[in-house]
Amino acid sequence: MTQDEIDRHFMAMALREAEKAAADGEVPTGCVIVEIPEGGVDMPAECRILGRAHNQTEGLVDATAHAEMLALSQAFAAKGNWRLSGCRLYVTKEPCPMCAGAIALGRLDAVVWGASDPKRGGSTVFDIFRHPGMNHHPAIVAGVMEEPCLAVLKDFFKSRR
């Protein structure tokens, strides 16, 4: 499999998490963090899933309970380390500034997202992943499965209006 196919596989998992969030009345964002074995992989099954979550800010009554933050906490615990080198984070919507900062501090190798957030994105608006003051700059892959990631967001907000 190509890296693009592997990215789509894990983004589909993140999208299922986003759908859980929507069903719970949460902004539909889902996240999956995987550890990639040294030397790379040919199949998604060779990766270890360290964390998977969806937004739970309403349910947990916690402004920091974004999908990425919850998945990061799981991944730190699963790896037994706050450094997540060798890991890729998949998220259906571009991380906000809070999440982008936590991702950079966690030293993930790459951030893969579906839908960009041109109003509040931690990368496209605030450039946190490339900021010269940050000591870690993960690779960025944007637009993976963009249409279904956008659709779940649009459907959610349309139902709220």
Side-chain angles (χ1 to χ4, degrees):
M1 292 181 90
T2 66
Q3 184 61 56
D4 185 55
E5 291 170 319
I6 292 169
D7 285 348
R8 286 195 312 265
H9 173 83
F10 289 115
M11 187 61 72
M13 292 176 78
L15 193 54
R16 286 192 292 276
E17 288 294 324
E19 290 164 353
K20 290 179 191 176
D24 292 343
E26 302 275 358
V27 173
T29 303
C31 182
V32 174
I33 300 174
V34 300
E35 184 174 37
I36 313 290
E38 252 184 74
V41 297
D42 294 320
M43 301 295 289
E46 298 172 53
C47 299
R48 178 177 164 214
I49 296 172
L50 299 179
R52 126 181 29 201
H54 56 275
N55 276 0
Q56 296 184 52
T57 56
E58 300 296 335
L60 296 177
V61 193
D62 181 348
T64 68
H66 291 194
E68 301 96 320
M69 300 298 283
L70 298 170
L72 282 166
S73 291
Q74 292 172 13
F76 296 139
K79 194 164 181 179
N81 196 325
W82 62 268
R83 292 176 188 90
L84 297 178
S85 56
C87 296
R88 272 173 103 80
L89 181 144
Y90 295 87
V91 62
T92 56
K93 186 180 75 56
E94 177 183 357
C96 73
M98 172 185 68
C99 294
I103 291 164
L105 291 172
R107 312 288 199 276
L108 286 102
D109 289 356
V111 181
V112 182
W113 70 75
S116 292
D117 185 350
K119 292 183 180 177
R120 293 171 289 281
S123 184
T124 57
V125 176
F126 296 97
D127 203 25
I128 291 170
F129 295 129
R130 297 288 160 251
H131 192 281
M134 298 300 282
N135 63 352
H136 179 74
H137 305 279
I140 297 168
V141 181
V144 174
M145 294 181 63
E146 182 176 25
E147 289 305 316
C149 291
L150 276 172
V152 72
L153 286 163
K154 287 179 180 177
D155 291 348
F156 175 79
F157 287 111
K158 188 186 296 182
S159 73
R160 295 286 187 175
R161 293 186 176 111

